[in-house]
């Protein structure tokens, strides 16, 4: 299972990549494997200020529906247009490349200290093994 | 958790395994969509040996089966199978099943894995006539080979002419060198094919002899749902009437002998049912799921979703659910509540595909 060491992880199986005060957020390789073929990703929170643990979107797989939770607080500034149904509409990118082309949203963080609550690669590996 | 004789083979193939009805079963090997489309267009193979099998034999066998099943077993010919259900005493369904007539006074019942013990106890409690009953669930394995090319793939393994077996008929014989197999032209996918019953310990050699795409329970569910086949525990249960579930065709109210709940069903038919299991298509990208509420256009609750998925063949979300009878006509606009959102949907004719 692919768990890059340069990312942060939430217990809800999201990954966070930090560049300045911008966090790019996606679904881990483990999570996409558990969900199976993704058919739709709904994110209607672009422009909104959300608290950590609030729901920012929903993913639909063939078998199951799963909510997506904010791993950190902040303003949702972008939804990956390759996934967005109004643009590329290609949610299978998350299955194919969960840490790359399959990123989901970008967030302008409001409290960078929350990053300390997230797991590093090693801790996340322990959680899912 | 129980295993089938193929559990190790599934793991070696990289299947995602999960508990289903007490068994460790393959849910998906590659992708549900790929497996689904392999069955629709070519051929797939499923390990469904978790299913339960009972033998009912002797001079009282027919009498017992006529009492506990809703379909008319007296109409079955040797080498023929019949879809049926076990009504309880209050107009609900204990389980749905297939009844095979192996010989005069010799029947073979195939029941859902989750209900093996419940069905056994239920049929036993009805067995005042003391028909002989044997639980063969642990001894018998079952592979489903499904899809338009199933016959072609299997024909090389048997001398029985598979094209000669009509739908819901079967033959006993040898396949892949395994004697006493039941080769049955049945299935739960709506794409044709066969179900093969063999001794449990012969499953690995049969599995290896068949060249078809391994398919898991995930694809089995999307395949059956596109055909609107009921899944016990989702679409039918102890509280649902077969008439409400669209299973009137296996509920023979004119059967000469009484069967459990026959009077209740006759009254239901005379008075008219108040709710009905229907298919619907969602005009949204979100997928309906079991237990989501169904609303009318005024946002009043009119029913509940029993099964839902993304249809791999249609590329859209579909579902089954019970709605109040006034809303059951195809074309009726409804809403599906995900809890936070209402999805626009409309009742449609089934099967979906």
């Amino acid at each position: 299972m692919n768990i890059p060491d340069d990312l942060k992880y939430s217990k809800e199986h999201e990954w966070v990549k930090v560049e300045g005060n911008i966090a790019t957020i996606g679904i881990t390789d483990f999570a996409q494997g558990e969900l199976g073929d993704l058919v739709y990703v709904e994110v209607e929170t672009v422009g909104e200020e959300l608290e950590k643990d609030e729901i920012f979107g929903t993913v639909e797989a063939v078998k199951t529906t799963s909510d997506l939770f904010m791993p950190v607080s902040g303003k949702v500034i972008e939804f990956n247009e390759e996934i967005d149904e109004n643009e590329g509409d290609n949610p299978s990118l998350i299955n194919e490349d969960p840490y790359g082309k399959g990123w989901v949203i970008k967030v302008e963080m409001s409290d960078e200290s929350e990053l300390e609550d997230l797991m590093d690669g090693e801790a996340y590996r322990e959680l899912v093994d | 958790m129980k295993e089938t004789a193929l559990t190790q083979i599934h793991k070696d193939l990289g299947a995602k395994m999960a508990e289903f009805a007490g068994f460790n079963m393959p849910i998906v090997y590659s992708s549900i969509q790929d497996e689904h489309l392999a069955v629709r267009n070519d051929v797939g193979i499923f390990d469904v040996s978790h299913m339960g099998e009972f033998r009912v034999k002797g001079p009282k066998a027919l009498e017992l089966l006529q009492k506990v099943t809703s379909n008319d077993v007296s109409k079955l010919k040797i080498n023929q199978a019949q879809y049926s259900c076990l009504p309880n005493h209050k107009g609900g369904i204990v389980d749905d099943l297939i009844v095979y007539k192996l010989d005069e006074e010799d029947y073979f019942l195939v029941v859902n894995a989750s209900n093996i013990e419940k069905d056994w106890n239920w049929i036993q409690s009805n067995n005042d006539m003391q028909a002989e009953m044997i639980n063969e669930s642990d001894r018998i394995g079952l592979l489903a080979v499904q899809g338009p090319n199933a016959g072609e793939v299997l024909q090389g393994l048997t001398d029985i002419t598979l094209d000669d077996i009509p739908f819901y008929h079967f033959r006993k014989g040898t396949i892949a060198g395994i004697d006493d197999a039941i080769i049955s032209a049945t299935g739960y996918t709506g794409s044709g094919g066969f179900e093969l019953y063999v001794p449990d310990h012969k499953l690995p050699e049969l599995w290896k002899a068949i060249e078809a795409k391994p398919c898991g329970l995930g694809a089995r569910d999307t395949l059956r749902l596109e055909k609107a086949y009921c899944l016990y525990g989702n679409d039918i249960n102890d509280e649902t009437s077969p008439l409400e579930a669209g299973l009137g065709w296996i509920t023979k109210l004119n059967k000469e002998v009484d069967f459990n709940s026959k009077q209740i069903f006759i009254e239901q038919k005379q008075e008219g049912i108040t709710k009905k299991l229907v298919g619907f298509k969602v005009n949204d990208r979100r997928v309906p799921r079991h237990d989501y509420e169904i609303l009318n256009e005024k946002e009043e609750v009119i029913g509940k979703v029993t099964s839902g998925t993304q249809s791999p063949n249609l590329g859209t979300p579909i579902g089954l659910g019970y709605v109040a009878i006034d809303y059951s006509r195809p074309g009726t606009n409804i809403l599906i509540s995900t809890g936070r959102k209402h999805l626009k949907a409309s009742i449609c004719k089934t099967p979906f595909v």
Side-chain angles (χ1 to χ4, degrees):
Chain A
M1 189 183 315
N2 186 7
I3 302 178
D5 280 321
D6 57 342
L7 303 177
K8 296 275 196 180
Y9 298 89
S10 78
K11 61 181 189 323
E12 300 289 351
H13 308 285
E14 278 124 12
W15 56 263
V16 180
K17 183 175 163 189
V18 181
E19 285 159 306
N21 73 329
I22 304 298
T24 303
I25 294 163
I27 300 162
T28 67
D29 189 28
F30 172 80
Q32 70 77 20
E34 290 296 301
L35 290 164
D37 300 327
L38 291 176
V39 296
Y40 175 55
V41 179
E42 180 178 273
V43 173
E44 297 176 332
T45 50
V46 175
E48 291 181 24
E49 295 271 356
L50 297 177
E51 296 292 312
K52 178 175 163 29
D53 297 330
E54 269 194 271
I55 292 166
F56 71 84
T58 306
V59 290
E60 295 282 4
V62 175
K63 277 292 271 188
T64 184
T65 299
S66 184
D67 286 327
L68 300 171
F69 298 88
M70 293 288 279
V72 290
S73 305
K75 183 177 179 183
V76 181
I77 55 169
E78 196 178 342
F79 173 28
N80 185 351
E81 63 177 24
E82 293 301 314
I83 292 173
D84 189 338
E85 67 169 320
N86 301 313
E87 304 283 342
D89 196 16
N90 188 7
S92 61
L93 286 175
I94 295 174
N95 294 115
E96 291 156 16
D97 189 8
Y99 302 112
K101 293 196 176 95
W103 64 273
V104 182
I105 57 167
K106 291 190 182 187
V107 170
E108 206 172 83
M109 288 184 284
S110 55
D111 180 2
E112 289 175 44
S113 73
E114 287 173 349
L115 290 169
E116 290 163 25
D117 299 335
L118 298 174
M119 286 172 269
D120 62 13
E122 198 181 322
Y124 183 66
R125 199 167 290 119
E126 268 177 42
L127 179 77
V128 299
D129 263 356
Chain B
M1 191 160 45
K2 284 186 163 182
E3 300 200 328
T4 78
L6 296 173
T7 300
Q8 192 55 48
I9 289 177
H10 301 319
K11 287 179 180 167
D12 292 346
L13 285 167
K16 188 160 91 182
M17 307 291 291
E19 194 261 331
F20 181 83
F23 287 81
N24 193 19
M25 299 298 291
I27 303 303
V28 57
Y29 299 83
S30 51
S31 123
I32 291 178
Q33 316 228 36
D34 291 353
E35 293 167 22
H36 178 109
L37 295 174
V39 171
R40 285 276 180 262
N41 302 325
D42 185 11
V43 56
I45 184 168
F46 302 78
D47 174 14
V48 280
S49 38
H50 58 313
M51 301 289 283
E53 294 89 9
F54 305 152
R55 276 292 266 289
V56 181
K57 297 206 286 195
K60 298 291 184 184
L62 180 62
E63 189 184 342
L64 173 60
L65 293 178
Q66 287 290 64
K67 179 180 171 191
V68 296
T69 69
S70 59
N71 211 329
D72 190 349
V73 186
S74 73
K75 297 279 193 284
L76 263 184
K77 299 186 179 76
I78 294 170
N79 287 349
Q80 192 179 11
Q82 184 181 67
Y83 181 58
S84 192
C85 77
L86 302 173
N88 58 25
H89 288 313
K90 48 174 192 171
I93 301 174
V94 177
D95 200 4
D96 62 338
L97 77 166
I98 300 180
V99 179
Y100 289 81
K101 184 168 182 176
L102 301 180
D103 207 338
E104 294 303 335
E105 303 183 358
D106 191 355
Y107 298 87
F108 181 72
L109 315 187
V110 180
V111 303
N112 283 298
S114 50
N115 291 334
I116 293 172
E117 198 183 331
K118 176 183 148 191
D119 292 353
W120 177 265
N121 292 338
W122 174 254
I123 300 171
Q124 279 289 9
S125 74
N126 280 276
N127 191 9
D128 329 315
M129 58 294 284
Q130 296 189 320
E132 186 186 347
M133 274 180 68
I134 310 161
N135 187 347
E136 299 191 325
S137 303
D138 290 340
R139 201 185 65 73
I140 291 182
L142 171 58
L143 297 184
V145 183
Q146 300 279 295
N149 294 332
E152 200 181 315
V153 163
L154 294 177
Q155 190 59 78
L157 303 173
T158 181
D159 293 334
I160 296 166
T161 307
L162 298 175
D163 276 350
D164 291 348
I165 309 179
F167 191 52
Y168 265 78
H169 285 69
F170 67 95
R171 296 278 184 283
K172 281 193 87 169
T174 303
I175 187 157
I178 300 163
D179 296 330
D180 293 326
I182 293 175
I183 302 166
S184 169
T186 49
Y188 195 44
T189 63
S191 278
F194 296 86
E195 294 183 296
L196 310 173
Y197 299 88
V198 297
D200 196 59
H201 65 277
K202 297 284 191 185
L203 275 178
E205 70 181 82
L206 182 59
W207 175 276
K208 284 171 191 162
I210 298 169
E211 282 181 44
K213 187 177 179 68
C215 298
L217 295 184
R220 186 169 157 86
D221 190 52
T222 54
L223 288 158
R224 71 93 194 167
L225 192 40
E226 284 186 344
K227 297 292 176 181
Y229 297 156
C230 288
L231 171 62
Y232 193 88
N234 274 42
D235 314 303
I236 50 177
N237 60 40
D238 295 294
E239 311 296 329
T240 58
S241 148
L243 303 184
E244 294 166 351
L247 298 178
W249 63 282
I250 61 163
T251 309
K252 303 296 186 194
L253 302 178
N254 55 1
K255 190 156 101 173
E256 282 180 7
V257 290
D258 274 342
F259 58 95
N260 293 326
S261 287
K262 182 178 170 185
Q263 281 313 316
I264 297 177
F265 298 145
I266 288 172
E267 281 163 32
Q268 229 170 38
K269 176 130 194 197
Q270 283 165 352
E271 288 164 19
I273 51 175
T274 57
K275 60 174 180 168
K276 192 177 169 192
L277 186 67
V278 294
F280 59 86
K281 286 183 185 167
V282 179
N283 312 318
D284 192 289
R285 297 293 299 278
R286 294 289 308 272
V287 182
R289 306 293 181 187
H290 183 71
D291 272 351
Y292 282 6
E293 282 183 332
I294 303 176
L295 316 175
N296 62 14
E297 288 181 300
K298 292 181 204 156
E299 305 195 349
E300 296 158 339
V301 177
I302 55 163
K304 218 168 212 186
V305 176
T306 54
S307 288
T309 195
Q310 171 84 1
S311 159
N313 272 85
L314 301 176
T316 60
I318 58 171
L320 296 177
Y322 286 94
V323 293
I325 197 77
D326 292 348
Y327 297 92
S328 61
R329 203 168 331 112
T332 307
N333 289 325
I334 55 169
L335 300 168
I336 307 295
S337 170
T338 69
R340 289 198 300 275
K341 270 187 91 160
H342 292 168
L343 315 174
K344 286 185 177 168
S346 57
I347 310 289
C348 66
K349 285 187 180 164
T350 56
F352 298 95
V353 171

